[in-house]
Amino acid sequence: MDLSEAVGIVTGASSGIGLATCRTLSRAGARLVITARSEGTLQELANELDGDAIVVEGDICDTTLPERLIETAKKHFGKLDFVFNNAGNMSVGSVDELDDDSIVSMIRVNHEAATRLAYTACRFFKKQGHGDLVTTSSILGMKVRPT
C-alpha cells in the first residue's frame, strides 16, 4: 500500500501502539494529525517524525475533538484518507479496589469516545467517497481475569 501522499489521524499518539504507529506511518510517507492529552509529548513526536505532523492536544472524551481533528486534516493537508482510532485506557483491580468513576472513565474512553470518532469519520468518508477506519482494542475486553 502506497502511503506517500496519505493523510491520517492517529489518536492515543503519545505512547504505546499509537506512538509506534505514528513512526511507522511517517516512515511510509503519510502526513498525520496526531492527538493525545500530552501536548509536550506530542510536540516531541511531531519534531521526530520524518513527514508532516500536526499536533492537536485534547481529551478524546471531548465531544468536539473528532470534528476538530477532521477539520485540522482538511485545513493543513487538504484531505483525510484514514483514521487510526487508538486512544484507550485500562483500570485494573478487584471489584473492591476500583471506584465507579475509574470504570466509567474507562468506558467513556474505550467505548463512547471510540464510537463517536468512528461515526464522525465514517460520515465524513461517506460524503467524500472514500476513507479507511482502523480501531484498536485490547484483548482483555474478551478475557475474564480475577481483576
Side-chain angles (χ1 to χ4, degrees):
M1 179 183 290
D2 181 15
L3 296 175
S4 60
E5 293 299 317
V7 173
I9 294 168
V10 179
T11 68
S14 63
S15 65
I17 293 169
L19 178 63
T21 299
C22 288
R23 289 173 173 154
T24 300
L25 290 169
S26 178
R27 280 193 301 271
R31 295 172 292 167
L32 303 172
V33 175
I34 58 176
T35 190
R37 292 174 294 181
S38 173
E39 185 174 11
T41 304
L42 288 173
Q43 196 56 59
E44 288 175 21
L45 174 60
N47 293 339
E48 170 195 326
L49 297 178
D50 296 334
D52 290 342
I54 303 297
V55 170
V56 177
E57 180 271 333
D59 184 333
I60 197 67
C61 292
D62 176 351
T63 59
T64 67
L65 187 59
E67 194 62 44
R68 283 193 298 132
L69 294 169
I70 292 169
E71 289 302 316
T72 299
K74 289 177 7 186
K75 177 182 174 186
H76 287 276
F77 301 120
K79 65 178 185 167
L80 176 63
D81 300 304
F82 66 89
V83 171
F84 190 75
N85 194 5
N86 175 69
N89 70 19
M90 186 69 161
S91 295
V92 179
S94 72
V95 70
D96 298 327
E97 297 168 335
L98 292 175
D99 64 284
D100 293 348
D101 290 338
S102 67
I103 297 299
V104 169
S105 175
M106 182 176 62
I107 292 168
R108 286 197 69 218
V109 170
N110 297 353
H111 180 72
E112 181 184 329
T115 301
R116 179 176 286 109
L117 178 57
Y119 272 77
T120 303
C122 286
R123 284 195 281 285
F124 175 78
F125 292 150
K126 184 175 180 182
K127 284 180 190 173
Q128 86 174 359
H130 77 277
D132 293 298
L133 172 69
V134 175
T135 299
T136 60
S137 181
S138 171
I139 187 120
L140 292 177
M142 299 171 46
K143 301 282 184 181
V144 177
R145 309 263 171 149
T147 57

